[in-house]
Amino acid sequence: MATYFYFHSRLVRQILDAVRAGKNTIELSLDLNLSVSVWPIEDHCLILDTAQGPGSVLSGSGRKTFALSLEDLEPIADAGNKVFCFDGESLLPVEVRADGYYKLVPTSSAPTLEINGIKMHRSKDIDPLEDARLKTQRVVRPGDIVLDTCGGLGYSALFAVKAGAKQVVSTEKSRQVMEIRQKNPWIRANAFAWFTREAAARIELENADISRYIQGIGDQSFEAVIHDPPRFCSATGDLYGKDFYRELARVVKPRARLFHYTGSPRRIKEKDRFINNAVKRLETAGFDNLSFDDRLQGILGTKAVPLY
């Protein structure tokens, strides 16, 4: 496997300033804030060494060094809010143009996903990783088999493993999102000391529409569900519907824990119709102990235990 180095406009401006100032080294994170290393500057070039590369995964290829010149980097300085990846040969944006425009977006922490200008993770009032960590802490217990719907960049699956999940079935409908997910350094094995290859193998990633995929799942297969659909609209309405909720209830065991992201289509009030209606549908489907968590902007609950 190759070693990847990641760049974005703010980072590149720091590099250009250092090169023009005649500095010999610069301290940078070239793995989107997973780690920081000191990188040499020689002959107006940034020197990249795979032996110290971000999440370096050398597989018999040995140590390699690459030089990125000012001419290589300058276009990125004005490229806007996107991530570029260097694999030793090409320096290209992490984006997909298909039925829409998908791109990886840098933050002060882990990157987020943006589709047609809309961010798919909460980042204004909470860090994407903190959001994923809090969700999984509320519903995942050691040894659980977990269903992670609409998996996106993989943060919920990552933290479900950290919480002790035995297995995580993570579905993602979009092939474009899957392509970008594969380039997200935060979910690669060994990105964290606790996220070993064995831990990463506990995530089963499925490129599938969960509303259809779930129909092939056996009854009572999971102890926890993280249902994190895109915000409600005409295209995503089925994921908030009574039929899908019944399927969720069917595939989980009694007392299984549920987190269902809903977002705040309007300002959440005590009797907000959207949230109350979702709660009623979940109750009808077979969930109870339902409550709305303001911080996580979602509904928490458990699978009801049959009375007979």
Side-chain angles (χ1 to χ4, degrees):
M1 293 179 65
T3 301
Y4 297 101
F5 303 87
Y6 296 85
F7 299 86
H8 51 82
S9 60
R10 178 171 48 83
L11 189 74
V12 165
R13 285 194 289 270
Q14 295 176 36
I15 297 169
L16 296 179
D17 288 345
V19 172
R20 289 162 179 159
K23 293 185 178 180
N24 296 320
T25 61
I26 184 171
E27 187 175 77
L28 295 169
S29 174
L30 297 185
D31 53 7
L32 298 177
N33 304 314
L34 273 169
S35 64
V36 174
S37 297
V38 176
W39 305 92
I41 297 173
E42 298 176 4
D43 298 325
H44 290 80
C45 293
L46 180 70
I47 307 301
L48 306 177
D49 188 338
T50 57
Q52 69 176 103
S56 182
V57 199
L58 300 178
S59 179
S61 58
R63 180 176 180 176
K64 295 181 180 179
T65 58
F66 306 97
L68 285 179
S69 68
L70 288 180
E71 290 74 19
D72 294 323
L73 294 170
E74 280 176 336
I76 298 176
D78 299 316
N81 202 25
K82 62 174 69 175
V83 171
F84 288 73
C85 178
F86 179 67
D87 62 2
E89 295 181 0
S90 303
L91 182 58
L92 298 172
V94 183
E95 64 183 14
V96 180
R97 297 176 185 270
D99 56 334
Y101 177 45
Y102 303 73
K103 70 175 181 177
L104 200 62
V105 175
T107 74
S108 59
S109 176
T112 64
L113 174 67
E114 192 173 285
I115 303 176
N116 295 330
I118 300 173
K119 290 183 179 178
M120 296 293 109
H121 297 91
R122 297 172 59 204
S123 58
K124 181 179 180 181
D125 55 349
I126 191 170
D127 178 270
L129 289 180
E130 179 71 359
D131 187 45
R133 183 183 68 81
L134 291 174
K135 290 173 186 175
T136 53
Q137 279 187 342
R138 297 294 298 271
V139 297
V140 179
R141 303 291 180 268
D144 279 355
I145 299 177
V146 179
L147 176 62
D148 169 37
T149 76
C150 312
L153 291 182
Y155 298 140
S156 292
L158 176 76
F159 278 92
V161 168
K162 190 176 193 301
K166 178 181 178 181
Q167 181 187 13
V168 182
V169 177
S170 181
T171 68
E172 173 51 54
K173 176 181 177 180
S174 169
R175 177 181 55 80
Q176 292 80 17
V177 173
M178 290 278 286
E179 183 176 335
I180 290 177
R181 176 173 176 158
Q182 298 301 328
K183 294 182 179 179
N184 182 7
W186 283 76
I187 63 164
R188 288 184 182 156
N190 301 315
F192 304 93
W194 51 268
F195 197 55
T196 61
R197 290 189 178 278
E198 182 278 330
R202 301 209 298 269
I203 299 175
E204 177 185 330
L205 179 57
E206 298 286 348
N207 183 193
D209 181 343
I210 185 59
S211 64
R212 298 178 181 175
Y213 182 82
I214 199 170
Q215 297 171 20
I217 297 175
D219 295 354
Q220 300 189 20
S221 296
F222 301 97
E223 286 91 10
V225 175
I226 304 162
H227 181 42
D228 196 359
R231 291 196 176 190
F232 180 84
C233 66
S234 60
T236 63
D238 288 350
L239 297 176
Y240 294 81
K242 60 183 180 181
D243 291 340
F244 183 74
Y245 288 173
R246 288 194 187 103
E247 286 293 284
L248 280 181
R250 179 184 64 80
V251 302
V252 299
K253 298 177 180 179
R255 297 190 178 89
R257 296 163 298 279
L258 165 75
F259 173 78
H260 173 11
Y261 173 78
T262 59
S264 301
R266 297 177 286 282
R267 181 178 176 83
I268 297 299
K269 298 182 180 179
E270 184 178 354
K271 298 185 181 295
D272 181 86
R273 183 187 304 174
F274 177 81
I275 301 302
N276 285 346
N277 286 343
V279 167
K280 288 177 182 177
R281 290 193 296 273
L282 287 167
E283 286 177 337
T284 301
F287 292 94
D288 60 11
N289 301 315
L290 294 158
S291 62
F292 184 82
D293 188 298
D294 291 287
R295 177 96 191 274
L296 298 178
Q297 293 189 8
I299 299 169
L300 291 158
T302 57
K303 167 74 176 292
V305 178
L307 296 177
Y308 53 90

